[in-house]
Amino acid sequence: YYISVADGNDSNCTGLAQTAYVSGTNQPCPWKTIAKVNASTFGPGDSILFKRGETWYETLIPPSDGTAGNFITFGAYGSGNIPVIDGEHVRVLGIDATLRTYLNIEYIRVQNAGTLSPLSGSGISYLTGVHTLDNVEIVDSTDQNIAAHGSVQLTFTNSTTTGADDDGLSMHGTADVVVDNVMFIDNNQGVNTSVTQGGGASITITNSYFSNTTDEFYPDNYISSSITKTLFVPSATIDHTVQLNPGDTFDYNIFDLSLAPSGANPFIL
């Protein structure tokens, strides 16, 4: 399924082709709005693709579940910048996946999610199920950029989470999260595993970077020679991870010291 602000029509297009709508009914052309996506039904293995270079000012609420072997994918088509979902700081969530499972979200930018008064909301919110998040940009949420709460199992890769007023990634309940090749930049807290709300079950972070973050991990505890950081979760592993605030509990956890900026104090494995 294809979605395009410029080329689409919710009433007269099937959503099953990229060709721009011209006239007529039941035409092979894109849908126009996220509201149309939210009101539709999809099957395991389906892909819902947003046109690159375009922006939607709506909340995406995936309406259907995939299966273990056939995730439903929300992604991009065309050329240029990845598509944008903009909350304008008036919508609480950019993508609300709290009731869904077996979703793959890729090549999408979610920005300005959450309200300003009060400061509340998330770029992408999960509560249950199994999900993958790949090649996304989550930017400037008023609370968490990514909320991995409840019993969610999330694999988060090849992405950036930037400028959250609170957490780049928040874990509560029994969440199980794997992070690989993710940039955590200018968030108040990089990864928040709140002990008061369960803190999640486990997190593994590899090949990732933390920069200009008040607290890379909150609650901040320690890193041991066994490459384990407690984070108030039963299982937490950090490997090949660079933290760009020299002087904190650990500065670098990498094999290649050449990656560390000048003046840093490396924690060498």
Side-chain angles (χ1 to χ4, degrees):
Y1 294 86
Y2 301 96
I3 321 298
S4 170
V5 173
D7 300 334
N9 185 293
D10 288 345
S11 300
N12 298 317
C13 293
T14 63
L16 296 175
Q18 300 179 22
T19 306
Y21 174 71
V22 178
S23 63
T25 61
N26 198 34
Q27 297 297 303
C29 43
W31 291 334
K32 187 180 187 71
T33 67
I34 286 178
K36 177 68 173 180
V37 175
N38 294 345
S40 300
T41 300
F42 304 101
D46 282 350
S47 294
I48 299 88
L49 306 179
F50 297 87
K51 190 172 182 180
R52 287 174 176 266
E54 296 190 346
T55 301
W56 286 260
Y57 300 94
E58 307 173 72
T59 295
L60 173 61
I61 308 173
S64 306
D65 295 330
T67 61
N70 289 283
F71 282 48
I72 293 176
T73 292
F74 293 85
Y77 76 96
S79 58
N81 294 332
I82 61 176
V84 175
I85 296 175
D86 192 329
E88 302 178 286
H89 290 314
V90 296
R91 284 171 286 281
V92 174
L93 299 175
I95 299 178
D96 180 358
T98 54
L99 300 179
R100 302 270 68 97
T101 187
Y102 295 117
L103 301 183
N104 173 49
I105 298 172
E106 62 183 22
Y107 298 105
I108 291 176
R109 177 184 173 100
V110 179
Q111 63 188 33
N112 303 325
T115 56
L116 295 175
S117 181
L119 291 175
S120 176
S122 304
I124 302 178
S125 183
Y126 298 100
L127 192 59
T128 188
V130 179
H131 300 273
T132 58
L133 194 56
D134 182 62
N135 280 286
V136 297
E137 299 173 5
I138 316 298
V139 182
D140 292 340
S141 301
T142 58
D143 198 348
Q144 308 110 0
N145 275 341
I146 301 163
H149 296 168
S151 59
V152 66
Q153 298 178 50
L154 174 64
T155 301
F156 180 31
T157 55
N158 306 313
S159 299
T160 59
T161 169
T162 306
D165 288 346
D166 202 348
D167 312 318
L169 168 64
S170 171
M171 291 176 62
H172 292 171
T174 59
D176 185 350
V177 179
V178 174
V179 176
D180 183 67
N181 194 31
V182 173
M183 302 278 291
F184 293 80
I185 302 172
D186 294 329
N187 303 293
N188 184 44
Q189 295 162 171
V191 177
N192 183 351
T193 58
S194 174
V195 67
T196 61
Q197 300 189 51
S202 69
I203 184 168
T204 298
I205 304 175
T206 56
N207 305 308
S208 295
Y209 298 81
F210 293 81
S211 177
N212 296 328
T213 298
T214 303
D215 294 303
E216 282 67 36
F217 302 99
Y218 177 84
D220 200 8
N221 210 354
Y222 64 86
I223 185 165
S224 73
S225 58
S226 62
I227 325 173
T228 298
K229 188 176 181 70
T230 61
L231 293 173
F232 289 103
V233 297
S235 175
T237 301
I238 292 87
D239 185 21
H240 275 83
T241 294
V242 179
Q243 179 266 82
L244 298 180
N245 284 337
D248 288 346
T249 303
F250 72 99
D251 290 340
Y252 292 94
N253 181 9
I254 57 176
F255 286 99
D256 185 358
L257 186 57
S258 67
L259 295 176
S262 176
N265 301 311
F267 180 90
I268 304 173
L269 301 179

